[in-house]
Amino acid sequence: MYLGIDLGGTKIAAGIGDEKLNLDKTIQKPTPQKREEILEEIRKIAEDFCSQFEIKSIGVGVPGAVNNDGAVVKIPNLEGWDNFPLEEKLNSMLPKKTYIENDANCAALAELVAGAGKKYDNFIYITLSTGIGGGIVIGGEIYRGAEGTAGEIGHMIIDVNGPQCGCGRTGCWEALASGTAISKLAKETPEITEEGKEVNAILAADLAEKGNESALKIFQKVVEYNAIGISNLANILNPQAVILGGGLTKRTKLVFDPLVEELKKRNVNTIIEKAVHETGVMGTIALAVKNTT
Ligand SMILES: [Zn+2]
């Protein structure tokens, strides 16, 4: 068995699974504020699992960039993690060999090890969710780049005159087509409203699926921006496939199918597949499996 621990901005999820990512026991804890408290929580979780099960190794996913030496470069929503040597620290604290990786790369690994990417050596995993992230697999390995931060596809510029992005630039893919971007547009659109419901990307998608014209317009643009981003990537990397995960991808008729159509119109012939694994924990177990077997 392998233990996966997915550190998120609001929760820490953990679980165990085998080489084929058959998931067994999982747990969830709220993410504490301070770094030391988070490390302590991870230690408790690991010791608890390792005392009950035969664990070969541990994978830990973090919601930020990780360099090639296993140090966290930065976690956007948590303080005190800049340039923190997390892999080294965890290996001094935890009972089994531990690997760390950026969460989007973990998700790509889940597809590679036992998901939609199993039959490919070269593919791009893209999560269309609250944010837009990705993992690039070349020759059966994550492409990490010179410093380990490759694959930040959400910050590819799609429209130079586009809205401000959290990274400081304007017109990034994420600023135009992520769940956060859709929520922002929905709040600026008076027609997107339903009594007793919060106006966000989920409501916008629900209304668009019911035929709300204003909401549909937002999603038509979202599909177009996603198609531009994917076609740029396909042109550069010529992958065997693009594997899409994240909440937006699950909206088959509203997002996934129109996106496949839009790509065909743009002469992008890359195979587009849906991701099989949707939880962060699967990716962290895949990280442990990939490094151990
Ligand atoms: Zn950006």
Side-chain angles (χ1 to χ4, degrees):
M1 284 297 204
Y2 301 84
L3 171 62
I5 302 172
D6 181 41
L7 170 60
T10 55
K11 64 181 195 317
I12 301 173
I16 51 170
D18 62 13
E19 282 87 355
K20 290 184 175 154
L21 306 188
N22 294 305
L23 202 58
D24 204 328
K25 189 185 166 181
T26 58
I27 58 142
Q28 244 184 54
K29 297 273 171 75
T31 304
Q33 287 289 311
K34 296 197 178 97
R35 189 183 74 200
E36 293 313 311
E37 292 166 358
I38 291 172
L39 290 170
E40 178 57 18
E41 192 63 72
I42 291 174
R43 190 189 63 76
K44 271 194 241 160
I45 291 169
E47 281 195 351
D48 194 31
F49 273 101
C50 290
S51 67
Q52 291 178 60
F53 302 94
E54 203 165 308
I55 304 292
K56 284 187 186 150
S57 63
I58 303 169
V60 176
V62 296
V66 171
N67 75 14
N68 286 332
D69 298 321
V72 172
V73 179
K74 196 178 178 59
I75 298 180
N77 299 312
L78 294 172
E79 273 174 37
W81 291 86
D82 292 9
N83 304 312
F84 183 73
L86 180 60
E87 193 165 83
E88 192 187 320
K89 178 74 183 171
L90 290 178
N91 275 299
S92 72
M93 288 168 61
L94 304 188
K96 296 287 170 181
K97 177 73 183 160
T98 302
Y99 305 92
I100 77 158
E101 182 57 277
N102 158 266
D103 54 7
N105 283 345
C106 285
L109 284 174
E111 297 306 319
L112 176 70
V113 168
K118 206 171 182 298
K119 52 187 181 285
Y120 305 117
D121 286 324
N122 302 290
F123 69 86
I124 306 167
Y125 168 83
I126 301 172
T127 174
L128 304 176
S129 185
T130 318
I132 291 178
I136 299 167
V137 173
I138 296 177
E141 300 287 338
I142 293 284
Y143 175 73
R144 314 195 79 260
E147 291 164 326
T149 59
E152 288 284 343
I153 61 159
H155 300 286
M156 177 191 290
I157 311 284
I158 302 287
D159 175 2
V160 282
N161 300 312
Q164 182 80 35
C165 180
C167 74
R169 280 164 288 195
T170 56
C172 294
W173 188 347
E174 181 168 293
L176 288 160
S178 64
T180 308
I182 296 167
S183 290
K184 209 166 158 242
L185 286 170
K187 286 189 174 83
E188 291 163 3
T189 311
E191 292 81 13
I192 298 176
T193 179
E194 197 171 297
E195 211 186 317
K197 286 205 175 151
E198 193 192 334
V199 178
N200 55 24
I202 293 167
L203 179 66
D206 289 345
L207 291 181
E209 282 169 350
K210 287 180 198 156
N212 180 305
E213 291 285 336
S214 306
L216 274 168
K217 256 187 209 155
I218 291 177
F219 279 91
Q220 276 158 7
K221 287 303 275 181
V222 162
V223 165
E224 195 185 337
Y225 291 134
N226 281 317
I228 294 169
I230 291 170
S231 61
N232 287 342
L233 288 171
N235 280 324
I236 299 166
L237 293 165
N238 183 217
Q240 290 163 297
V242 170
I243 297 170
L244 300 176
L248 280 174
T249 305
K250 283 192 198 141
R251 302 279 179 161
T252 304
K253 289 208 173 104
L254 186 64
V255 177
F256 186 83
D257 289 349
L259 182 52
V260 171
E261 279 307 308
E262 184 68 26
L263 285 163
K264 271 189 204 147
K265 268 195 238 163
R266 291 168 183 268
N267 290 323
V268 179
N269 298 313
T270 312
I271 296 165
I272 310 292
E273 296 213 27
K274 270 190 193 174
V276 171
H277 303 294
E278 281 301 342
T279 64
V281 173
M282 297 299 244
T284 57
I285 295 170
L287 172 66
V289 170
K290 176 85 172 130
N291 279 292
T292 311
T293 51

